[in-house]
């Protein structure tokens, strides 16, 4: 069993989303002591923006790759390999300027590759990353869940489904910028949600 934790906060370990993801992983580890946990911090290991040159490397035939293109493909392959090895995916997801962090978008642009993580069929695209469970810890200064302004949930859910990951749980901590009391309530509610996710039977009892 392998868990891949992807942290997208610019504040690395101090990010609220990272902290919630960490809390989940710590609790999850207790129930899965033999599991391997891999952490990818997108703030420290920033994935380059996708550009025409890099995308061209993804499309080029193996024998026709330049040295630079080969390096781009190997880098993307390594990210994909890490993701493929994971049984559980944990994502710390802050909202920045009404969207997902640009570091996360750059990561996604390097792991969404035809023939590697999805394929085209007569019936449309099919995701190849099946059999995984994902947990998303979304933190926001304002209140958006369930409204049209929450562009993140639909995007992340649709993107993961496109890749074949359709078992996805979202935990939200919202209103973190509204005031100290609202923040404390939001974080403790998120913690309770994490407890329910990790040991649902203990909470129900
Ligand atoms: C650059 C930046 C942009 C932000 N934009 C938004 C926003 O559009 N909507 C919102 O509700 N909160 C916004 N916030 C507040 C963050 O969502 C909030 O602080 C959250 O806790 C960030 O998660 P993190 O601590 O894991 O990085 C923004 C924060 C930063 C630093």
């Amino acid at each position: 069993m392998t868990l891949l934790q992807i942290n997208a906060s610019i504040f690395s370990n101090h990010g609220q989303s990272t902290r919630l993801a960490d809390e989940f992983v710590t609790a999850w580890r207790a129930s899965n002591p033999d599991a391997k946990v891999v952490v990818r911090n997108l703030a420290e290991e920033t994935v380059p923006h996708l550009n025409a040159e890099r995308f061209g490397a993804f499309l080029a035939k193996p024998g026709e790759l330049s040295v630079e293109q080969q390096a781009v493909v190997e880098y993307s392959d390594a990210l994909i390999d890490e993701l493929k090895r994971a049984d559980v995916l944990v994502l710390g997801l802050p909202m920045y300027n009404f969207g997902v962090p640009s570091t996360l978008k750059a990561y996604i642009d390097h792991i969404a590759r035809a023939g590697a993580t999805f394929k085209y069929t007569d019936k449309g695209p099919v995701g190849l990353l099946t059999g995984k469970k994902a947990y998303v810890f979304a933190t926001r200064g304002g209140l958006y869940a369930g409204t049209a302004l929450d562009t993140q949930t639909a995007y992340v859910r649709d993107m993961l489904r496109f890749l074949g990951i359709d078992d996805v749980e979202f935990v939200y901590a919202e209103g973190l910028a509204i005031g100290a009391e609202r923040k404390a309530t939001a974080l403790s509610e998120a913690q309770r949600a994490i407890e329910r996710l990790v040991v649902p039977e203990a909470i129900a009892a």
Side-chain angles (χ1 to χ4, degrees), residues 9-11 14-18 94-98 139-142 144 176:
S9 173
I10 55 175
F11 305 113
H14 301 292
Q16 296 289 355
S17 56
T18 313
M95 178 182 280
Y96 296 146
N97 299 317
F98 286 87
T139 54
R140 289 101 183 252
Y144 305 107
L176 300 181

Side-chain angles (χ1 to χ4, degrees), residues 48-59 65-80 109-110 113:
H49 280 148
L50 188 62
N51 56 21
E53 206 183 324
R54 299 181 78 83
F55 188 64
F58 297 161
L59 301 181
L65 289 168
S66 67
V67 174
E68 292 78 16
Q69 285 177 319
Q70 183 67 36
V72 170
V73 170
E74 281 174 12
Y75 176 72
S76 166
D77 283 349
L79 292 178
I80 290 171
D109 288 342
H110 279 74
R113 268 175 58 200

